[in-house]
Amino acid sequence: MSKKRLRIAIQKSGRLSESSVQILRGCGIEFGNGLGKLRSSARNFPVEILFLRDDDIPQYVEDGVADAGIVGENVVLEKGFKVETALRLGFGRCRLSLAAPKQFAYEGTGDLEGLRIATSYPKILSGFLERHSIDAEIHTISGSVEIAPSIGLADIVCDLVSSGSTLFTNGLKEIETVLESEALLIRRSSLESDLEVLFEKLCFRIRAGIEAEKNKYVLLNAPNDKIGRIVDLLPGMRSPSVLPLAETGWSSVHSVIAEDDFWEVVENLRAEGAEGILVLSIDQMVI
Ligand code: PRT
Ligand code: ZN
């Protein structure tokens, strides 16, 4: 195996840290966590993990200090660095939204004309305003954006939202979504060939983990005369497996179903005569 190590930057401490560590550990990569450390070498895969502030990750990847990184799409787009997105990771979901005081009667983007908007995302916001041909004043502030209207610094804000409770407690309501964001696996565009091979391996493993999370493994028993209708309800990866049970006239059916519709499928399976239905999590799914 190559002596070179692939350097991956993840957030040291924050909303993305735990899921970033989990996604790498889910790939079978063993490393110590970032407590009090800036870097950690994996014991069983030629990877070095760098623990950084999220805002610094795109720059480090562009400069080649790190080969890849896990960071929010909002940060990548705001910083505008030349990095490539390899995978969308499906966690750290949030939206960058415009929010106004509750009493603001908002009817459409035309109402934004001439307003003062406080944000930590001036680049993404100005792109949005340009696309909608709106002339508004952007006030860039680095934190506690949500208090800007109440202290008279701005009319409305453009900030990240997940549950919406921060806006609510500050008397604000969401009026427009500027960006839907999630964590991304980013990479620098040119990797030496041995690092490229390592990176591809890593992506392959991460994809298998992401697919596994989106699916469930289902096993059930049914009398043979019901199998046809039950199989029709189950897509499976190619098609469901049907195996005879020791008891004559009965079979066991194994299949994979999407997490999103699994309750509905399970209810339909029961209605068609399935018994002893087991639904299991999948660790990895290679498709
Ligand atoms: O120290 P470091 O610079 O690394 O961390 P940070 O404090 O800058 O970032 P952190 O850990 O707060 O967020 C890291 C990333 O998580 C962000 O860049 C987003 O991609 C993603 N993310 C997901 C969020 C949120 N959800 C989120 N809700 N980032 C921030 N928030 C904040 C938001 O700014 C607001 O203040 O949470 C508040 C709103 O939350 P709700 O639930 O009340 O709506
Ligand atoms: Zn940050």
Side-chain angles (χ1 to χ4, degrees), residues 247-264:
E247 187 179 336
T248 36
W250 280 73
S251 296
S252 164
V253 180
H254 298 203
S255 189
V256 171
I257 53 180
E259 159 109 73
D260 283 349
D261 33 58
F262 110 84
W263 275 117
E264 206 182 322

Side-chain angles (χ1 to χ4, degrees), residues 11-16 52-55 71-75 92-94 121 146 159-167 181-183:
Q11 191 185 23
K12 182 170 174 56
S13 153
R15 287 169 203 267
L16 305 182
L52 302 171
R53 287 201 54 194
D54 68 340
D55 315 70
V71 66
E73 190 172 9
N74 51 305
V75 173
R93 285 184 198 279
C94 56
Y121 292 87
E146 65 280 358
D159 199 8
L160 293 179
V161 184
S162 45
S163 70
S165 65
T166 304
L167 292 183
S181 178
E182 68 185 273

